[in-house]
């Protein structure tokens, strides 16, 4: 297939803190680029980092993130990966920024609380998300949020290696293209 004429797909990677969203998104973008795709990776944490330590609010960071995803979706790309949402409401706000008829796929990352807290506490760049009580509250709500999301694909990053997750996401992107063609 000629990669220069591929229709755009926006892959929205959603999940709780320390569930593997960033790791998966980075690996997927590298793989799609290796395959000849033109990819933009938009990460909520990178948007927020632009204003740290004086970030006005996470709501502001989310609004900027959603707008940037929408702008990249209007560029001459084959895939935009939007990484950082954590709820159905946040995913819906990203989708509202996309041009009409944009093919989008929602990928949820998940992991057990024990896996997430181990990852979070091992990451020196994390702030509040490495605090056990904070992360526990997030993970207690995650199962119900995951049901609300009804994602196209769910990847348990505590079970599936990132390389497998990359292949699952690449297939989901290709499948979405086929269903839109």
């Amino acid at each position: 297939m000629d990669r220069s004429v591929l229709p755009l797909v926006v892959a929205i990677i959603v999940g709780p803190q320390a569930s593997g969203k960033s790791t998966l998104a980075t690996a997927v973008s590298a793989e799609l680029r290796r395959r000849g795709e033109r990819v933009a990776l938009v990460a909520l944490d990178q948007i927020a980092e632009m204003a740290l330590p004086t970030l006005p609010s996470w709501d502001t960071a989310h609004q900027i993130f959603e707008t940037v995803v929408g702008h990249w979706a209007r560029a001459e790309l084959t895939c935009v990966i939007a990484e950082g949402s954590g709820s159905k409401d946040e995913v819906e706000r990203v989708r509202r920024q996309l041009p009409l008829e944009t093919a989008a796929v929602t990928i949820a990352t998940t992991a057990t609380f024990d896996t997430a807290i181990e990852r979070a506490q091992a990451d020196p760049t994390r702030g509040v998300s490495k605090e056990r009580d904070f992360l526990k509250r997030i993970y207690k709500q995650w199962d119900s949020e995951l049901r609300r999301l009804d994602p196209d694909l769910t990847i348990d990053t505590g079970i599936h290696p990132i390389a497998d997750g990359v292949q699952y996401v690449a297939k989901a992107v290709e499948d979405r293209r086929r269903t839109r063609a």
Side-chain angles (χ1 to χ4, degrees):
M1 181 180 285
D2 181 3
R3 294 282 173 200
S4 66
V5 295
L6 287 176
L8 171 72
V9 175
V10 175
I12 304 168
I13 299 180
V14 58
Q17 288 88 341
S19 66
K21 295 183 306 291
S22 297
T23 302
L24 180 63
T26 300
V28 167
S29 64
E31 174 61 17
L32 294 178
R33 287 179 182 129
R34 187 193 67 73
R35 294 180 184 192
E37 295 213 28
R38 295 181 317 276
V39 180
L41 170 57
V42 185
L44 175 61
D45 285 348
Q46 287 181 332
I47 297 289
E49 284 174 18
M50 293 176 184
L52 291 178
T54 58
L55 179 67
S57 72
W58 275 98
D59 287 341
T60 300
H62 276 277
Q63 290 169 0
I64 294 166
F65 168 74
E66 294 151 10
T67 301
V68 171
V69 171
H71 281 287
W72 277 120
R74 289 166 175 79
E76 294 182 13
L77 298 171
T78 60
C79 189
V80 175
I81 299 171
E83 178 271 312
S85 297
S87 71
K88 179 179 179 162
D89 295 339
E90 291 168 0
V91 169
E92 288 175 354
R93 288 196 308 266
V94 168
R95 285 178 177 261
R96 282 196 294 268
Q97 294 296 320
L98 304 178
L100 291 176
E101 305 304 318
T102 299
V105 60
T106 302
I107 298 104
T109 58
T110 194
T112 64
F113 170 75
D114 290 338
T115 298
I117 193 67
E118 183 179 318
R119 288 175 181 167
Q121 290 182 342
D123 182 351
T125 67
R126 288 192 180 268
V128 69
S129 66
K130 68 170 43 173
E131 295 174 12
R132 181 172 288 277
D133 290 342
F134 173 84
L135 201 59
K136 188 72 158 176
R137 277 193 311 277
I138 298 296
Y139 274 78
K140 277 187 177 186
Q141 299 168 1
W142 177 239
D143 283 340
S144 66
E145 192 62 40
L146 183 58
R147 284 189 298 277
R148 283 185 68 224
L149 273 162
D150 190 27
D152 300 293
L153 174 65
T154 301
I155 301 169
D156 186 327
T157 62
I159 295 172
H160 299 282
I162 290 299
D164 290 351
V166 167
Q167 296 309 311
Y168 302 151
V169 173
K171 182 178 181 327
V173 167
E174 288 298 324
D175 289 349
R176 185 51 44 101
R177 280 194 181 111
R178 275 194 288 281
T179 61
R180 292 291 236 190

